[in-house]
């Protein structure tokens, strides 16, 4: 069966360090993968999109990698700040004939000062 | 600034009531989506629409219906609300047909069915 796995345990790191979040998937062949940030009680906010033919994407302090052989994406936040504390969701898309996404359950990141 | 709005932030309904959740986007997006989000289960797609009057079932359509009479508005209907439909409901929109761009989400409606 299809599965998207993100660490269910919260990731605790200190301010200034690099946070690395993992998204693994099985029985999917996504054409692209997206990462979202969600704060408590709010809707997710898009961060980055990476396509299957791209290995890496960067945006300011954010970096995403996509390894279709390993079926894994890594999401990095460098020089993390307490304001980066949130839940981060990965989402796979491009498998059906429609622009739907299948979301992972998310990983909570806690950045302490 | 792009915007997706939902009719209510909090809603309390009784079992058996018909419930309407409204979503409006101002970005002229073709696609609109309804999700529910529950602890431990994540975001799950209920229904989506890629054009006016068009609708497709998502992963968990049972107990729900939708309506899209205008491009900017997508409604989720609970025909007869049940307690297991207590959840956070999120609406989203995006452009693009197959090769999607990002989804823009509304603030969510927390629905409690008693």
């Amino acid at each position: 069966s299809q599965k998207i796995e993100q660490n269910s345990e919260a990731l605790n790191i200190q301010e200034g360090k690099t946070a690395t979040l993992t998204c693994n998937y099985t029985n999917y062949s996504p054409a692209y993968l997206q990462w979202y940030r969600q704060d408590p009680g709010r809707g997710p906010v898009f961060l980055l999109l990476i396509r299957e033919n791209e290995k890496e994407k960067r945006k300011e302090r954010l970096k995403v990698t996509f390894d279709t052989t390993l079926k894994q994406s890594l999401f990095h936040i460098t020089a993390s700040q307490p304001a980066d504390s949130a839940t981060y969701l990965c989402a796979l898309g491009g498998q059906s004939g429609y622009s739907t996404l299948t979301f992972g359950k998310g990983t909570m990141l806690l950045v302490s000062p | 600034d792009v915007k997706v709005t939902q009719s209510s932030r909090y809603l309390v309904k009784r079992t058996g009531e018909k419930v309407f959740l409204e979503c409006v986007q101002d970005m002229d997006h073709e696609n609109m989506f309804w999700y529910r989000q529950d602890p431990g289960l994540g975001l799950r797609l209920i229904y989506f629409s890629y054009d006016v009057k068009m609708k497709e079932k998502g992963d968990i359509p049972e107990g729900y219906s939708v309506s899209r009479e205008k491009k900017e508005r997508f409604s989720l209907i609970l025909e007869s609300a049940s307690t297991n439909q207590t959840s956070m409901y999120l609406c989203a929109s995006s452009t693009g047909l197959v090769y999607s761009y990002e989804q823009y989400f509304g603030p969510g409606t927390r629905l409690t069915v008693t």
Side-chain angles (χ1 to χ4, degrees):
Chain A
S1 62
Q2 293 181 323
K3 205 185 275 189
I4 302 173
E5 289 183 346
Q6 294 186 257
N7 242 347
S8 56
E9 286 184 19
L11 178 64
N12 286 276
I13 63 166
Q14 274 205 300
E15 184 174 9
K17 301 288 186 187
T18 296
T20 299
L21 305 175
T22 305
C23 176
N24 294 302
Y25 59 92
T26 53
N27 296 319
Y28 278 102
S29 296
Y32 52 87
L33 188 148
Q34 300 183 13
W35 283 89
Y36 289 77
R37 169 188 172 133
Q38 187 174 23
D39 292 291
R42 294 178 171 247
V45 175
F46 170 80
L47 296 173
L48 279 169
L49 179 152
I50 186 165
R51 303 193 192 281
E52 60 180 336
N53 59 349
E54 297 173 318
K55 296 288 184 194
E56 184 179 297
K57 222 39 174 317
R58 290 175 187 260
K59 180 182 173 185
E60 297 171 355
R61 294 185 296 114
L62 308 181
K63 185 177 90 171
V64 172
T65 63
F66 191 12
D67 189 327
T68 55
T69 303
L70 288 179
K71 295 187 183 295
Q72 181 182 78
S73 175
L74 298 178
F75 178 79
H76 307 272
I77 306 175
T78 57
S80 58
Q81 304 164 1
D84 295 327
S85 298
T87 295
Y88 291 86
L89 309 172
C90 73
L92 308 184
Q95 297 188 107
S96 68
Y98 302 105
S99 53
T100 55
L101 294 173
T102 304
F103 283 83
K105 294 176 186 176
T107 298
M108 186 182 296
L109 172 66
L110 298 169
V111 182
S112 51
Chain B
D1 203 16
V2 297
K3 208 155 188 184
V4 178
T5 56
Q6 296 184 228
S7 48
S8 308
R9 289 287 276 134
Y10 300 94
L11 210 51
V12 180
K13 294 291 181 181
R14 293 191 183 274
T15 302
E17 278 193 82
K18 192 167 185 175
V19 182
F20 292 87
L21 302 182
E22 298 278 318
C23 176
V24 178
Q25 51 97 3
D26 65 358
M27 297 162 280
D28 200 36
H29 281 170
E30 297 87 356
N31 309 306
M32 296 188 76
F33 309 85
W34 274 107
Y35 296 90
R36 63 177 283 178
Q37 188 171 33
D38 301 287
L41 295 176
L43 265 172
R44 293 179 292 167
L45 182 64
I46 304 171
Y47 266 98
F48 66 99
S49 167
Y50 56 90
D51 201 353
V52 176
K53 296 193 186 296
M54 306 304 289
K55 60 186 179 186
E56 292 289 336
K57 292 179 180 179
D59 299 317
I60 51 163
E62 297 79 18
Y64 303 94
S65 62
V66 290
S67 171
R68 192 166 182 202
E69 296 296 319
K70 292 186 177 182
K71 191 175 186 180
E72 67 271 18
R73 190 178 296 268
F74 193 34
S75 302
L76 180 69
I77 302 146
L78 287 66
E79 296 289 342
S80 177
S82 63
T83 53
N84 62 13
Q85 293 179 310
T86 291
S87 186
M88 170 71 100
Y89 289 88
L90 289 155
C91 174
S93 71
S94 76
T95 190
L97 181 55
V98 175
Y99 226 33
S100 177
Y101 297 92
E102 63 267 31
Q103 292 189 9
Y104 293 86
F105 282 82
T109 296
R110 189 164 291 283
L111 172 67
T112 302
V113 182
T114 60

